Amino acid sequence: MLVLGDAHAADPENREALRSAYDAADADVALHVGDLEYYDLPVPTYFVAGNNEDFDVVESMRQNATFGDRNARLLASTAVEVSGLRVAGLSGNYAPTRYDKSRDELSGDRRRHFTHEDVRSAIELSDVDVFLTHEPPQGFMGRGCAHVDDILRALRPELCLVGHHHRHAEGRFEDTRLVGLEPVWESYYTMDPATLELERHDTPGSAADG
């Protein structure tokens, strides 16, 4: 299984890095933690929306979960079965001035934020093995949001994958292992669904790859 950090693939060079990661991993399915910005993907990719997306596309996915036949499949306080795992995700990032609004009240770029409704729906999920979030829990990578803490405390997934901060980090939140992911133009990850063990690889063409 391919696991990807932030892509920001509206940028052509980042899009090439994203394609290189898919080619190098040669996986049948992928997980992505937000700031994708490009949805024409080679294999089914379950992702959470970040704070940089085409929000018209994301809004259509909230209604239908997919975007045409392009393999991008949104997790927005929803869960799916992927390679024998139950994977769930919270889309968006936190803004205190938007949190108490309903999603219907958000427009334009403000649609990038999650609301109390999104958090409540995520908390009501069950039997989650892997949780995807763009926003980290409190204290992880020096940042974080207490509402993500509430979700992890309720769901107790074995693994939580985090984006947004463009660097690799590992930690724990109670019983949950936390991994912050490097951006796609630096690294991609592969994960064994049986063990949830991650292996980090230099993306072909990156500075680390030489």
Side-chain angles (χ1 to χ4, degrees), residues 32 36 39 45-49 53 61 72-75 91 132:
H32 189 276
L36 181 54
Y39 312 98
T45 300
Y46 297 87
F47 81 105
V48 291
E53 304 286 358
M61 290 184 188
R73 301 177 184 182
L74 181 70
L75 295 173
S91 279
L132 310 182

Side-chain angles (χ1 to χ4, degrees), residues 9-53:
D11 177 279
E13 290 187 5
N14 293 345
R15 189 177 307 170
E16 284 304 309
L18 180 65
R19 289 172 174 153
S20 293
Y22 277 101
D23 289 344
D26 193 27
D28 295 328
V29 66
L31 305 179
H32 189 276
V33 293
D35 286 355
L36 181 54
E37 294 191 280
Y38 180 73
Y39 312 98
D40 191 1
L41 305 172
V43 300
T45 300
Y46 297 87
F47 81 105
V48 291
N51 55 302
N52 293 280
E53 304 286 358

Side-chain angles (χ1 to χ4, degrees), residues 60 84 161:
S60 73
L161 300 172

Side-chain angles (χ1 to χ4, degrees), residues 101-135:
K101 295 183 179 295
S102 70
R103 176 145 296 282
D104 291 344
E105 294 179 272
L106 303 184
S107 61
D109 286 349
R110 292 299 186 181
R111 293 176 291 176
R112 68 183 181 270
H113 302 303
F114 60 76
T115 71
H116 66 287
E117 298 167 338
D118 300 319
V119 170
R120 184 173 64 245
S121 294
I123 285 173
E124 291 172 355
L125 300 172
S126 61
D127 301 320
V128 172
D129 300 302
V130 179
F131 192 76
L132 310 182
T133 176
H134 197 62
E135 188 84 53

Side-chain angles (χ1 to χ4, degrees), residues 43-98:
V43 300
T45 300
Y46 297 87
F47 81 105
V48 291
N51 55 302
N52 293 280
E53 304 286 358
D54 183 326
F55 292 105
D56 290 333
V57 170
V58 169
E59 193 61 35
S60 73
M61 290 184 188
R62 286 184 182 276
Q63 309 303 318
N64 191 33
T66 61
F67 183 53
D69 59 355
R70 300 189 185 188
N71 281 326
R73 301 177 184 182
L74 181 70
L75 295 173
S77 301
T78 52
V80 293
E81 299 291 329
V82 183
S83 300
L85 298 172
R86 186 161 165 83
V87 180
L90 175 70
S91 279
N93 72 326
Y94 176 62
T97 57
R98 298 296 183 268

